[in-house]
Amino acid sequence: PPRHWLRRARRALFGDYKFAGTYAAHPDPAQEAFFFGLVREALEDGAISESQLRDEISQGHLRTDALELVGA
């Protein structure tokens, strides 16, 4: 179908997430706090690095304020 062709063209030209829209806030703020708490622990333990987080933010996989929320 044509709409699938348009999606494929968008992905080929701009990547998976460009122009895909934004995510709504989670209805339960405790879930958000839990997730970013886990990210903070992973940073402290060295399981992930700050540069990895910055890379994921630049690719649109993480919120732009993720580093602020983990306190990095």
Side-chain angles (χ1 to χ4, degrees):
R3 82 171 178 236
H4 294 291
W5 299 336
L6 292 173
R7 286 183 188 159
R8 280 191 182 172
R10 177 185 51 86
R11 285 188 189 128
L13 293 171
F14 304 109
D16 287 333
Y17 301 105
K18 189 72 170 180
F19 308 119
T22 57
Y23 293 101
H26 196 284
D28 182 4
Q31 296 295 320
E32 183 179 296
F34 177 69
F35 171 77
F36 285 108
L38 292 175
V39 173
R40 184 180 311 110
E41 288 179 21
L43 277 170
E44 291 170 355
D45 292 342
I48 58 175
S49 68
E50 188 173 323
S51 65
Q52 287 173 310
L53 281 181
R54 289 184 190 282
D55 184 46
E56 295 302 320
I57 291 169
S58 70
Q59 293 181 43
H61 299 157
L62 256 174
R63 294 169 45 161
T64 57
D65 63 345
L67 286 172
E68 296 168 18
L69 292 170
V70 298

